[in-house]
């Protein structure tokens, strides 16, 4: 991936991530960023992302969302953009592979 090439440009593309790819994305994203980004995404996508988290981390994300719900739209949008950059970073590190429109987590050995 070149510096200007971006694989994931919209939050809606996260619906094409398999569970392992979503898991990697959730692990790599700071909890505060993840919680803020959830305010910008479709509930099906955020539900899928929360579904791959362990119970303790899911509860923590929900608590952060409660605290951060009054943050500005600019901060929420910035968090969503950060999430997309993290997804691209995972692709460039070969933890997620892009096959057509779909993204698959690569099993670690």
């Amino acid at each position: 991936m070149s510096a200007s090439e971006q694989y994931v440009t919209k939050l809606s593309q996260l619906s094409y991530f398999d569970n392992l790819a979503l898991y990697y994305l959730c692990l790599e994203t700071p909890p505060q960023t993840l919680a803020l980004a959830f305010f910008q995404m479709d509930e099906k996508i955020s539900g899928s992302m929360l579904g791959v988290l362990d119970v303790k981390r899911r509860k923590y994300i929900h608590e952060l969302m409660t605290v951060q719900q009054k943050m500005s739209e600019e901060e929420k949008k910035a968090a969503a953009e950060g999430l997309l950059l993290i997804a691209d970073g995972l692709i460039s590190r070969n933890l997620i592979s892009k096959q057509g429109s779909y993204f698959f987590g690569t099993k670690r050995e």
Side-chain angles (χ1 to χ4, degrees), residues 27 43 72 97:
L27 278 183
E43 61 188 42
S72 72
S97 64

Side-chain angles (χ1 to χ4, degrees), residues 11-31:
L11 287 175
S12 61
Q13 287 178 280
L14 297 179
S15 66
Y16 295 108
F17 279 50
D18 73 351
N19 282 347
L20 186 56
L22 288 176
Y23 177 74
Y24 290 154
L25 183 57
C26 288
L27 278 183
E28 292 286 323
T29 306

Side-chain angles (χ1 to χ4, degrees), residues 7-14 84:
Y7 292 103
V8 187
T9 57
K10 302 181 282 191
L11 287 175
S12 61
Q13 287 178 280
L14 297 179
L84 298 178

